[in-house]
Amino acid sequence: MSDCSTCIVRNRAICASLDSEELAILGKMGRRQRVKAGQTLLWEGDDAPVVANVLTGVLKLGVSTADGREQIVGIVFPSDFIGRPFGKESPYSVTAMTDADVCIFNRNSFDAFAGAHLDLQQKLLRRTLDELDRARHWMMLLGRKTASEKVASFLLEISERLSGYGSQSERHGLFELPFGRQQIADILGLTIETTCRQLTRMRSDGLLDLPSRREVVINDRAAMEAMAG
């Protein structure tokens, strides 16, 4: 990553607060890496030698239960930051759900750089607080909402996250899910049968269309928001 000024997430990533000279230094520290769908970048409980900005694609944060099952605890989109600055172990695995590109940094080098740049530290703090808010919202979604509320909330959040960098069609209600029905069910703590039933009901009620297995068109956002509670 020799030229951060051409980065496609430059204005939304944590490095947005840096000036051109600082970006030049950071750019020499980073490297672009392609992560194939299904490939794990960080493993839960292992040493986390790197941190990264997501450039393209979608990744998941997962933790394992005692019997080996995986629970997806977060989804990471372009411009999001992954890894644990100023920490040694990763509390979750980071696995690509789609092919993805990341700008990756050695964690020790990044920590030293961040330690000398107050604006970057503040940006990291704001990102951490945003993630905490999102985690609290996720706890409420999983623990208190009905199946229909869960699916509606999930689709609205994915639509909003994708619209921040997506195509014109995504900004007008059409977006492509980066995962299948089974993964949606796993994320929401539902069975695949319940998930499919809720999607079919929403389509029958005119709230959305499903042009393909991955494409979603939200026809009535207000009604979807009402259903999400």
Side-chain angles (χ1 to χ4, degrees), residues 126-185:
R126 286 196 294 269
R127 287 287 174 120
T128 300
L129 293 174
D130 287 344
E131 289 180 7
L132 179 59
D133 289 340
R134 192 173 295 122
R136 288 168 172 165
H137 173 74
W138 200 258
M139 289 172 60
M140 190 270 288
L141 186 152
L142 292 178
R144 304 297 299 176
K145 290 193 172 186
T146 65
S148 60
E149 290 172 336
K150 287 181 180 182
V151 175
S153 297
F154 178 78
L155 292 177
L156 286 169
E157 179 170 351
I158 297 300
S159 173
E160 290 166 1
R161 296 298 302 277
L162 290 175
S163 67
Y165 60 87
S167 65
Q168 189 72 11
S169 61
E170 285 167 341
R171 289 191 290 271
H172 285 81
L174 169 65
F175 61 97
E176 184 172 340
L177 291 168
F179 23 67
R181 303 287 195 270
Q182 183 62 64
Q183 288 173 310
I184 295 173

Side-chain angles (χ1 to χ4, degrees), residues 7 23 25 63 89 96 100 105 118 136 142 147-148 176 202:
C7 176
L23 280 174
I25 298 173
V63 297
E89 292 185 357
F105 304 92
L118 182 59
R136 288 168 172 165
L142 292 178
S148 60
E176 184 172 340
M202 291 176 186

